[in-house]
Amino acid sequence: MSETPPTDPAAGPWRVSVAPMIDWTDRHCRFFHRQITQRALLYTEMVNAGAIVHGGTERHLRFNSEEHPVALQLGGSEPERLAAAARLGEQWGYDEINLNCGCPSERVQRGAFGACLMAEPQLVADGVKAMLDVVSVPVTVKHRIGIDKQESYAFVRDFVGTVADAGCRVFIVHARNAWLKGLSPKENREIPPLRYEVVYQLKRDFPQLTIALNGGVTTDEQIATHLQHVDGVMVGREAYHRPWLMRGWDTRFLGAASALHTTPDEVEAAMVDYMAREATAYGTPWYAIARHMLGLHHGRRGARLWRQVWSDHKLKTLPAHEVWAIARAHLEDAPVEA
């Protein structure tokens, strides 16, 4: 069992966080995650800076006050546009602005942002400097350890050094290369090998910076192990698919003893109330929210049937509390899943 390093105030909110995930970490997902962890830092999906600046401000930036601490992740490469979007993000109340330099999808590359920006560290530095000039919240960068089959440590070291010279003090490092051609985004999360030692070396070479590690983390024990080498750990898909994993983070890693909810049942009840409020305030259908909590009862009796109810669009005309009653009946009465 790995010993959990003592909470380090210098690591700030980056000690444990949930990754930005396109199509997943919208405001409903983040509200759900906040029912399980009060302290872990949450990130938005990547939002195109241009979409924010050119008329989509409220649609892209509205969030629930319960989500704090919450960071806005931007996609973009034009310093002036990034600065304008960052300024709006701070005005809307985000606690951090993060620049995406890690997404490998070809659609993102066509927009000249994501992992392809690692080949242009000075452009990234210019974007970071432009944002720092107009906001008072932290400006951070999320990136890979390399692009394509470039595995030289000097490549990522020089990238970090250049961007740090522009004033960035926090780097969230996905410990895989991004292959810009030939692999899908899913394959880019699985095929390039994880090389955690590269991230550890960055921390040794840049002790004055906050370095957080991302990629392949699935257990609290792994988090504890990585925290012996870096300042923070970001968890992605495992937190989404098995959200109860986050339940112990506040006490184990973040120095907090309080808990908002103590059981998955309490979390589900809170989410159903949230669904009702969202329907009244914004006309949000319950299934747009329920899709994020399908892993809540992972491994529990009847969880498969419970998920089927919350995924059944034939029930979409019913109020959320009625759907909840149907789902609960399956959860309580079904046999143990294989």
Side-chain angles (χ1 to χ4, degrees):
M1 181 174 180
S2 299
E3 180 180 352
T4 301
T7 300
D8 179 8
W14 300 282
R15 186 170 171 82
V16 184
S17 61
V18 178
M21 292 175 276
I22 292 176
D23 296 328
W24 286 4
T25 51
D26 62 16
R27 65 186 181 88
H28 307 309
C29 176
R30 299 191 304 268
F31 182 89
F32 168 56
H33 287 175
R34 191 56 77 213
Q35 306 310 300
I36 303 172
T37 170
Q38 291 287 281
R39 296 289 187 89
L41 176 59
L42 304 180
Y43 283 77
T44 69
E45 307 169 82
M46 181 182 67
V47 183
N48 187 320
I52 294 174
V53 174
H54 297 298
T57 305
E58 180 173 0
R59 178 166 65 91
H60 290 297
L61 296 185
R62 176 160 50 91
F63 68 97
N64 304 288
S65 61
E66 294 90 343
E67 295 172 37
H68 291 291
V70 57
L72 169 65
Q73 187 184 67
L74 296 177
S77 59
E78 299 174 15
E80 290 185 6
R81 185 172 292 182
L82 287 171
R87 185 187 295 110
L88 287 168
E90 182 179 43
Q91 290 172 357
W92 275 76
Y94 284 93
D95 302 297
E96 170 192 337
I97 307 298
N98 177 263
L99 179 61
N100 184 317
C101 294
C103 182
S105 82
E106 293 190 17
R107 176 170 59 88
V108 166
Q109 291 176 53
R110 287 195 295 272
F113 49 90
C116 63
L117 286 177
M118 289 195 70
E120 300 184 74
Q122 189 56 55
L123 179 60
V124 175
D126 292 344
V128 165
K129 177 66 164 56
M131 290 188 283
L132 285 169
D133 284 345
V134 298
V135 301
S136 59
V137 297
V139 173
T140 68
V141 172
K142 186 174 188 294
H143 61 94
R144 297 282 185 125
I145 57 173
I147 52 177
D148 297 320
K149 297 186 179 180
Q150 166 62 265
E151 296 188 351
S152 165
Y153 172 69
F155 177 82
V156 67
R157 179 200 63 205
D158 292 350
F159 173 83
V160 169
T162 299
V163 178
D165 285 345
C168 185
R169 289 295 173 263
V170 180
F171 294 81
I172 300 134
V173 190
H174 187 150
R176 300 182 196 268
N177 275 35
W179 292 9
L180 301 181
K181 300 291 182 183
L183 293 182
S184 69
K186 180 178 185 296
E187 290 169 330
N188 256 297
R189 295 189 299 269
E190 299 170 351
I191 293 177
L194 285 161
R195 294 189 290 146
Y196 294 131
E197 181 56 36
V198 172
V199 189
Y200 298 168
Q201 186 63 48
L202 284 172
K203 180 58 189 177
R204 291 192 290 268
D205 287 348
F206 297 96
Q208 76 280 16
L209 301 179
T210 295
I211 304 291
L213 177 148
N214 172 231
V217 180
T218 61
T219 68
D220 282 2
E221 295 308 309
Q222 292 172 352
I223 294 173
T225 296
H226 291 312
L227 286 175
Q228 295 174 21
H229 302 277
V230 293
D231 302 299
V233 176
M234 174 180 278
V235 183
R237 278 157 174 75
E238 197 70 11
Y240 189 87
H241 291 305
R242 290 201 305 121
W244 202 243
L245 170 70
M246 297 181 280
R247 175 63 183 83
W249 289 359
D250 290 0
T251 53
R252 183 169 184 182
F253 301 116
L254 299 169
S258 60
L260 184 60
H261 303 294
T262 58
T263 69
D265 293 336
E266 292 178 3
V267 171
E268 185 179 359
M271 290 306 297
V272 173
D273 289 343
Y274 173 73
M275 291 174 194
R277 292 198 304 273
E278 279 289 310
T280 299
Y282 302 107
T284 308
W286 58 259
Y287 47 85
I289 300 170
R291 70 186 183 96
H292 298 302
M293 67 177 196
L294 297 181
L296 179 60
H297 295 291
H298 179 83
R300 185 175 172 183
R301 291 168 58 95
R304 180 176 58 85
L305 293 174
W306 174 86
R307 289 193 299 270
Q308 288 176 357
V309 171
W310 278 119
S311 303
D312 188 353
H313 283 210
K314 294 178 182 177
L315 303 176
K316 66 182 182 181
T317 58
L318 297 180
H321 282 82
E322 292 185 23
V323 180
W324 181 36
I326 298 170
R328 292 289 310 167
H330 287 297
L331 189 63
E332 293 167 351
D333 298 336
V336 176
E337 286 189 339

